[in-house]
Amino acid sequence: MVVNTIHWFRKGLRLHDNPSLKDSIRGSDTLRCIYILDPWFAGSSNVGINRWRFLLQCLEDLDASLRKLNSRLFVIRGQPTDVFPRLFKEWQINRLSYEYDSEPFGKERDAAIQKLANEAGVEVMVRISHTLYNLDKIIELNGNQPPLTYKRFQAVINRMDAVEMPAETITFEVLKNCVTPISEDHDEKFGVPSLEELGFETEGLTTAVWPGGETEALMRLERHLERKAWVANFERPRMNANSLLASPTGLSPYLRFGCLSCRLFYFKLTDLYRKVKKNHTPPLSLYGQLLWREFFYTTATNNPCFDKMDGNPICVQIPWDRNPEALAKWAEGRTGFPWIDAIMTQLRQEGWIHHLARHGVACFLTRGDLWISWEEGMKVFEELLLDADWSVNAGSWMWLSCSSFFQQFFHCYCPVGFGRRTDPNGDYIRRYLPILRGFPAKYIYDPWNAPEEVQKAAKCIIGVHYPKPMVNHAEASRINIERMKQIYQQLSCYRGLGMDASLLATVPANSNFGGNGTNPRTVSTATNEGPGGSSKDPSVQVGMSQTERAQSVQKRRHEETPLESSSKSWKQSK
Amino acid sequence: MKRGLQGNEQEDGGGTSGGCQKTLKRSRKQRREKDLEDEESRWECLPQEILLHIFQYLPLLDRAFASQVCRGWNETFHMPELWRCFEFELNQPASSYLKATHPDLIKQIIKRHSDHLQYVSFKVDSSRESAEAACDILSQLVNCSLKTLGLISTARPSFMEMPKSHFISALTVVFVNSKSLSSLKIDDTPVDDPSLKVLVANNSDTLKLLKMSSCPHVSPAGILCVADQCHGLRELALNYHLLSDELLIALSSEKHVHLEHLRIDVVSENPGQQFHTIKKSSWDAMMRHSPKFNLVMYFFLYEDEFGPFFRDEIPVTHLYFGRSVSKDVLGRVGLNCPRLVELVVCANGLRPLDEELIRIAQRCTQLSAIGLGECEVSCSAFVEFVKMCGDRLTQLSIMEEVLVPDHRYGLDDIHWEVSKHLGRVWFPDMMPTW
């Protein structure tokens, strides 16, 4: 029987460590590697030009690599549920392979495709290679709940079996007799589109700071490891002014798109460490970047509401402000705080910012200054940030806005001080906000405090050439810390957590301020963890009460009243 | 309730209804149907006190559904006991994601339950309309005798954006009518001296708690009037500019009860602001009068505005630095705050706080909670600090970036050392890196 195979690229845009592709080649007569250009980019309609360009470069790179193997990439436009039945028939497909997608939207989409495949008699081969581990196993090991603290997650990881070795790279040997039927008009029908063809304006577009593709990814990996070996120090490097700039060894966008296998990275790091540190066992902190990614993937995989506050059982319900004007100022780098504006400018221009810069702007938008919902910030990052995939982006925003994961809320990044400490000279500001170039280091982080002569000399009058600061930070942070406190004092699941619960919540809460008509006492389901209790995972015990809390809060949110009279109009509204 | 399917079992509980007997002579089917009838009628037998007790556990929406079941349950729904506490949530769709209390419900409460209300709070979003709506409701609560009133802004302080006179008149209605106000939370509102006088004139015997941080229209004389007359005041929250030696002396007068809680916000309006000092003797008087009181201070100042603070001993127990605070000031804190229980430092700078922390461990023997944000401490000094404090540290929240590895400890092993001295497993706070 002739076996005709389709391999469906979604993430995992690489030929190294691609077990689903490799396994499906075995015994195949023909192979076609496809990418479906879903105009809705796997669930999010919110994608900026840098992300599209990166993706297209990945696809070009794949196509080039496949060409060397006498094959090609087939780019097909449309929705998967429409595309597949057609292709199954046209190409007489009996085998389909793809890399497992753990995100809720991905799982739903794939379930639909599985069904179509079953109906068409197509064998489906799925393998895990976008994450280090099988996430369902992590959840199982943690009592069928995803760990809600990073430390707990690490503890569970320690008990997992070793990470599986990367699969063999696809080469001529691997392909053997498997061929790809390529038509003369392949480029016309299935070629990788250009940015212009997709409708983007490319005039004035600067070269990509982060070029997409597997080739680039593997080169960067080598450089990354070289640099680590040279430094011979695996400690987290202290933050300095240079760290803010895009690094030629940065890997996060490549991990997100799957140009670089996380398992390959993992093993190469391990080997290098053993070589340099003479066979010591590497600490978990070595894999920090990879494990954070894994952590958020695990928390998100069974939660379709992970990217929202409403209806999300792990998200604290915070009364964020709706303020589109303020949001726009933040998104477009017009807040009047050079530190914030420079970061948002770099983000828009290049598609990547340092993780501490992310903390700074996220804090400013949410619990620090503007009190705007983290969902809005997440959407902006989704549009602009190359390495922001659904799970990691939503999870990080919840973390940074203290909406989940048991974070302390007292710590607030100052939009002036934080930048000043990181880059005292202000070169980063000057680079991304040229209008402020003339300001001396003393005033570049708070130019509104500069005397008139200084502003005149810098040829930049604050309020005219550069906006005045949109908030008074001292005032805003005073108000916001009070707001956070109000919320956390009501969260019974944080009380009685013993250690590391909530600083600043020790002020006596007046118990007479009860909820609506229920007894003034709080519905407390907190466990009283004494000192030694930290071995119990707060997330398992507390997670329940937080869910209950969230749900009961949800209920109250949708409160409507029955009218005393016969009119039942209230039942119509939610 | 037992469902007896055999014999002549007696019914237990609520046997006031006549139809509660069963007989063997009926067929099984008839018996089952009768049981069901009995079940239903048993629900009617439920005494109102029990139903009331059950209703108290239900959230409002569920109670509202229950009230539609029958007249009896509807009556219970409207019993005064269920309307003592209410939290009005006032949000506009344009400024909030959360839903508001339904206007019809509000009307109903004002109509039927305003004299039952005793513990009331208003949560408003950042729109002026919500604040005005709150005041409209307040103005209508003429029959209320409130014990507790809270005006809470959940985002921007919208009470400050409405016409002051509207706010004052609404508040005055409450003060005049509720002669037994015990708790009042009016932070971030345009309350002024005259309205405080009205409060004092009507509620001086009962007032126990007053929170009025960031009320810019109140003067030191205004708050002094409250302290002089309200001798039962146990908890007070205000801004530093309202604090005076006279106020502290008034709060320590013999007629006054022991103060339990004093919260002071020190906020910089303009850079380079000068702050007045409080005499040590005033704090001493407070300490003599209320030896156990909590003094909570929140600082939102620029680094160079700390001049007048921590020069003398001050009985502060909870200290929060919302902006950057210098090494120097933290050194003074170690010297002058022997009662310190909780310390939170948002930011300091790039010079290690080793000495300052050690001194705090030595001199602040009550310290049980500490939080450090953008600071630097060498790992060795941190371990030393924890060793000296021992297991009295119930809350230790240190951002991972704070700890600087040195020759003795790296980041990977420091948490074991610290855990050892704390007597429990401890890790620094982490932030995602990706």
Side-chain angles (χ1 to χ4, degrees), chain A residues 236 321 421 557 560 564, chain B residues 89 102 112 126 374 400:
Chain A
R236 195 123 54 103
D321 214 4
R421 274 186 288 281
R557 289 285 82 78
E560 297 295 342
E564 205 187 354
Chain B
E89 290 179 63
H102 199 284
R112 272 185 84 153
S126 49
E374 297 158 52
E400 202 189 32

Side-chain angles (χ1 to χ4, degrees), chain B residues 158-427:
Chain B
S158 41
F159 286 109
M160 296 302 297
E161 285 167 35
M162 59 179 290
K164 179 165 175 272
S165 51
H166 184 188
F167 177 82
I168 298 295
S169 61
L171 201 59
T172 311
V173 166
V174 175
F175 289 169
V176 166
N177 287 286
S178 305
K179 303 220 188 282
S180 54
L181 257 182
S182 157
S183 285
L184 186 60
K185 277 193 190 174
I186 41 175
D187 308 275
D188 289 303
T189 61
V191 64
D192 57 11
D193 289 358
S195 36
L196 284 183
K197 278 214 172 80
V198 176
L199 168 69
V200 165
N202 291 282
N203 297 282
S204 59
D205 294 334
T206 49
L207 194 66
K208 294 200 176 79
L209 179 150
L210 176 60
K211 291 204 190 269
M212 35 169 275
S213 301
S214 297
C215 294
H217 299 295
V218 178
S219 77
I223 190 66
L224 190 56
C225 170
V226 175
D228 275 334
Q229 307 285 331
C230 303
H231 299 141
L233 197 61
R234 283 174 228 244
E235 286 185 47
L236 180 60
L238 39 60
N239 276 29
Y240 190 76
H241 77 271
L242 292 181
L243 191 68
S244 60
D245 295 304
E246 292 79 20
L247 181 65
L248 292 178
I249 302 295
L251 290 170
S252 331
S253 82
E254 255 181 44
K255 294 176 283 180
H256 234 280
V257 302
H258 298 305
L259 194 72
E260 286 169 24
H261 197 86
L262 178 62
R263 150 117 182 224
I264 302 172
D265 283 13
V266 190
V267 185
S268 167
E269 312 284 330
N270 306 296
Q273 186 170 345
Q274 299 293 334
F275 291 92
H276 65 283
T277 45
I278 299 292
K279 297 197 194 110
K280 182 170 183 303
S281 53
S282 311
W283 289 120
D284 290 344
M286 279 292 302
M287 279 303 298
R288 276 193 303 273
H289 185 76
S290 312
K292 295 211 183 96
F293 88 112
N294 282 327
L295 176 59
V296 179
M297 296 186 80
Y298 279 62
F299 284 88
F300 295 94
L301 301 182
Y302 290 93
E303 266 191 36
D304 53 0
E305 290 171 328
F306 279 94
F309 298 101
F310 306 109
R311 298 280 173 201
D312 284 322
E313 213 176 85
I314 177 174
V316 61
T317 53
H318 297 74
L319 200 46
Y320 173 80
F321 292 103
R323 303 188 71 140
S324 186
V325 58
S326 66
K327 249 168 92 76
D328 188 48
V329 171
L330 288 173
R332 300 206 303 261
V333 165
L335 280 178
N336 290 313
C337 304
R339 292 181 80 219
L340 197 63
V341 167
E342 180 176 298
L343 173 65
V344 177
V345 178
C346 271
N348 168 258
L350 293 175
R351 286 159 64 218
L353 293 175
D354 296 5
E355 283 165 26
E356 289 74 14
L357 266 192
I358 304 283
R359 181 187 293 162
I360 287 173
Q362 276 168 344
R363 315 263 308 226
C364 305
T365 54
Q366 308 297 313
L367 190 75
S368 64
I370 185 164
L372 297 178
E374 297 158 52
C375 309
E376 294 215 345
V377 181
S378 74
C379 287
S380 308
F382 185 65
V383 171
E384 190 59 34
F385 169 79
V386 177
K387 222 179 358 191
M388 292 171 72
C389 294
D391 62 2
R392 63 177 153 98
L393 276 182
T394 52
Q395 289 183 112
L396 183 57
S397 178
I398 313 293
M399 301 290 296
E400 202 189 32
E401 289 102 58
V402 168
L403 300 170
V404 181
D406 54 25
H407 56 280
R408 285 182 65 197
Y409 301 104
L411 281 179
D412 289 316
D413 42 10
I414 191 170
H415 79 270
W416 285 122
E417 273 304 306
V418 170
S419 304
K420 228 167 50 191
H421 297 299
L422 280 182
R424 61 176 195 264
V425 181
W426 176 88
F427 291 104

Side-chain angles (χ1 to χ4, degrees), chain A residues 336-549:
Chain A
F337 288 90
W339 172 240
I340 305 294
D341 293 340
I343 294 172
M344 295 307 285
T345 305
Q346 182 187 26
L347 174 61
R348 191 171 288 274
Q349 280 177 9
E350 298 177 12
W352 178 93
I353 45 178
H354 188 273
H355 72 263
L356 285 176
R358 296 176 204 203
H359 299 169
V361 297
C363 182
F364 185 86
L365 181 71
T366 56
R367 64 191 173 84
D369 293 74
L370 299 185
W371 200 252
I372 288 176
S373 169
W374 59 270
E375 290 180 61
E376 303 294 348
M378 179 191 76
K379 288 183 198 144
V380 173
F381 270 29
E382 191 176 40
E383 183 195 339
L384 302 175
L385 187 59
L386 288 173
D387 58 29
D389 54 22
W390 191 83
S391 313
V392 178
N393 195 19
S396 303
W397 272 95
M398 277 193 276
W399 188 294
L400 296 172
S401 61
C402 287
S403 299
S404 193
F405 307 113
F406 305 93
Q407 282 312 293
Q408 288 291 348
F409 60 84
F410 69 83
H411 175 221
C412 181
Y413 295 95
C414 175
V416 173
F418 187 35
R420 190 173 267 152
R421 274 186 288 281
T422 311
D423 175 18
N425 212 30
D427 295 322
Y428 177 76
I429 306 287
R430 291 194 191 87
R431 185 195 176 105
Y432 291 101
L433 298 177
I435 189 81
L436 296 176
R437 257 192 205 133
F439 278 91
K442 180 166 183 210
Y443 292 111
I444 197 164
Y445 286 98
D446 52 353
W448 61 87
N449 283 331
E452 219 184 296
E453 317 86 67
V454 177
Q455 292 187 29
K456 282 213 178 98
K459 298 207 186 51
C460 175
I461 307 297
I462 301 305
V464 179
H465 304 107
Y466 180 75
K468 291 205 178 115
M470 68 184 288
V471 287
N472 175 333
H473 176 70
E475 187 58 14
S477 56
R478 177 194 69 78
I479 292 172
N480 292 341
I481 200 87
E482 247 344 274
R483 307 296 168 248
M484 289 303 278
K485 238 181 62 184
Q486 278 167 20
I487 291 149
Y488 274 73
Q489 275 179 340
Q490 286 192 327
L491 285 183
S492 57
C493 62
Y494 275 77
R495 296 216 201 95
L497 262 187
M499 72 308 65
D500 299 328
S502 218
L503 290 170
L504 307 186
T506 48
V507 287
N510 189 323
S511 59
N512 284 331
F513 287 92
N516 288 331
T518 51
N519 264 323
R521 67 170 187 271
T522 22
V523 182
S524 174
T525 44
T527 52
N528 235 308
E529 299 217 28
S534 58
S535 51
K536 293 186 229 135
D537 176 19
S539 66
V540 175
Q541 286 153 323
V542 172
M544 296 276 283
S545 50
Q546 193 168 28
T547 309
E548 282 161 26
R549 190 92 205 158

Side-chain angles (χ1 to χ4, degrees), chain A residues 517-519 521 523, chain B residues 52-59 63 82:
Chain A
T518 51
N519 264 323
R521 67 170 187 271
V523 182
Chain B
L52 177 64
H53 189 72
I54 295 172
F55 273 16
Q56 281 174 335
Y57 286 94
L58 295 179
R63 236 186 292 144
L82 292 175

